[in-house]
Amino acid sequence: PPDKDQLGRATWTFLHTAAAYYPAQPTPAQRSHMLALIHALPALYPCNHCAEDFGESVAQHPPDVSGRAGLSRWFCERHNEVNEKLGKAPFDCAKTDERWKDGPQD
Ligand code: FAD
């Protein structure tokens, strides 16, 4: 099976970066592509229990695809739920641009 941590870091990098560069005012097509991407994860993410929990989280918290700021916050909050589950410190969702768009990368 894939390395869960490596897969997770790579996936979060993709998702947070895609949110950071998502338009402030997305077209209807961009919104529907983003919704499709989010809804595909519970079906396709190659860690079954991760995918299942993420699917429940998406069902409880409908994705905000209205624009860059809302989407970045939405992914940050979903990631923080996983952080909490794993006993990790929460990430400050005011800092998503600094981490994923403007700032130095780690
Ligand atoms: P990661 O949590 O991968 O974070 C990478 C970087 O993102 C951090 O260094 C930090 O700079 C930044 N970051 C951290 N939190 C946030 C945030 N809230 N918003 C924005 N940026 C942030 N692992 C499991 O063991 N069990 C699970 O059930 C599970 N479910 C997952 C579900 C999904 C959808 C995904 C994508 C991953 C899941 N993972 C799960 C993997 C887990 O989230 C981590 O990726 C993995 O534990 C490696 O953690 P890490 O400490 O290296 O950093």
Side-chain angles (χ1 to χ4, degrees), residues 3-13 15-16 41 45 47-51 53-55 72-73 75-83 85-86 88-93 95-96 99-100 106:
D3 180 314
K4 208 168 25 173
D5 287 354
Q6 201 188 317
L7 175 68
R9 277 190 293 274
T11 304
W12 288 125
T13 296
L15 294 173
H16 291 302
L41 285 170
Y45 192 70
C47 160
N48 287 332
H49 75 90
C50 306
D53 288 359
F54 184 74
S72 294
R73 172 160 294 275
F75 274 120
C76 183
E77 288 169 352
R78 304 287 72 71
H79 192 167
N80 272 340
E81 291 174 354
V82 180
N83 289 340
K85 184 170 76 168
L86 300 179
K88 296 182 193 191
F91 184 90
D92 178 356
C93 293
K95 297 191 170 160
T96 52
R99 171 66 180 88
W100 297 107
D106 77 16

Side-chain angles (χ1 to χ4, degrees), residues 14-72:
F14 167 60
L15 294 173
H16 291 302
T17 305
Y21 288 86
Y22 186 72
Q25 293 178 297
T27 65
Q30 287 168 323
R31 292 180 198 218
S32 87
H33 287 314
M34 183 54 71
L35 277 177
L37 173 62
I38 291 166
H39 284 114
L41 285 170
L44 296 172
Y45 192 70
C47 160
N48 287 332
H49 75 90
C50 306
E52 203 171 297
D53 288 359
F54 184 74
E56 283 169 19
S57 176
V58 173
Q60 278 173 21
H61 306 277
D64 180 356
V65 297
S66 64
R68 186 171 61 78
L71 185 64
S72 294

